[in-house]
Amino acid sequence: MDMLDTRFGSIWSQLWRHRFNADSAEAAMGIYVAWQKEWADAFAKEELTVAQVKMAIHHCRRREMPPTLPEFLDMAKPIADAEEAFIEAGKQMAAMSFGHPFVWHVPAIYWAAHAFGAFELRNTNFELSGKRWKRLLDEQMRRGYWAPVPVYDADVKWLGYRPDRDQLQQKFRSAMAVLHMPPEEKSKCVAKAAQQLGRAA
């Protein structure tokens, strides 16, 4: 907890130190010790990992005021249930695909959904794909912080990366490039593709 106190002090300076002000040094120490005990107990009961605490601290940098304990816990563990996150990901991905309004409240869910695949999300369920979803979501949660997620815009529907469209366009460009190659190079590409398919089979 001393490390957390140091980080909070560096983020909010006197605004954080003011929380432990009292009429006497003894009373101030009592407030500080009580804060340490309460937060340490909550971290233990919630079974927070070091990565989750670091993630919450990362989000704290954007706040003007120090967080309460419940706020900090929400930042450290924004996902309570993997199945609920899966359902949320499916809804948001579907909204993006059809140009409807969407909001990614937890970036980790978006990036897990992105890795999972928009098409796959629309054509499976948690019972069948829960194990893979949990693995991808856990990988994202261990990162602690993420690149910006797409944002809906009423004029252009949304801004950001579209997995289905971009992947198809990339495949199309690759196919067209092969068609315009000299015969000798084209034969080499076809042979290489056949070899790779043979390994995957």
Side-chain angles (χ1 to χ4, degrees), residues 48-145:
L48 293 189
T49 65
V50 173
Q52 288 171 329
V53 172
K54 286 182 177 179
M55 176 177 65
I57 293 173
H58 174 77
H59 290 306
C60 280
R61 293 170 180 163
R62 305 188 188 112
R63 295 173 56 95
E64 293 184 6
M65 299 289 292
T68 63
L69 177 55
E71 287 172 340
F72 189 87
L73 294 177
D74 284 342
M75 287 186 285
K77 296 184 75 171
I79 301 170
D81 182 81
E83 185 171 5
E84 289 182 9
F86 180 85
I87 295 170
E88 177 68 14
K91 290 179 180 178
Q92 300 301 336
M93 276 295 189
M96 289 173 69
S97 298
F98 293 105
H100 298 157
F102 63 87
V103 179
W104 292 96
H105 296 288
V106 182
I109 295 180
Y110 167 75
W111 289 109
H114 169 61
F116 192 93
F119 177 81
E120 288 81 359
L121 273 171
R122 294 196 299 269
N123 292 276
T124 189
N125 56 51
F126 190 77
E127 185 178 346
L128 292 174
S129 304
K131 186 175 181 180
R132 178 171 175 248
W133 170 254
K134 286 180 180 178
R135 176 176 59 78
L136 293 172
L137 188 60
D138 286 344
E139 287 175 1
Q140 288 300 323
M141 292 305 298
R142 283 196 294 271
R143 290 176 182 270
Y145 52 91

Side-chain angles (χ1 to χ4, degrees), residues 171-193:
K171 289 178 181 178
F172 178 76
R173 284 194 292 268
S174 298
M176 292 302 292
V178 172
L179 288 175
H180 291 88
M181 284 180 179
E184 189 175 316
E185 290 186 28
K186 189 186 299 181
S187 297
K188 289 180 181 178
C189 284
V190 171
K192 185 176 180 181

Side-chain angles (χ1 to χ4, degrees), residues 92 95-96 99-105 107 110-111 147-162:
Q92 300 301 336
M96 289 173 69
H100 298 157
F102 63 87
V103 179
W104 292 96
H105 296 288
Y110 167 75
W111 289 109
V149 301
V151 177
Y152 180 79
D153 184 281
D155 295 324
V156 297
K157 299 305 181 185
W158 65 276
L159 306 173
Y161 175 73
R162 293 186 62 181

Side-chain angles (χ1 to χ4, degrees), residues 20-33:
F20 306 112
N21 286 352
D23 294 335
S24 66
E26 185 178 350
M29 180 56 68
I31 296 172
Y32 180 75
V33 170

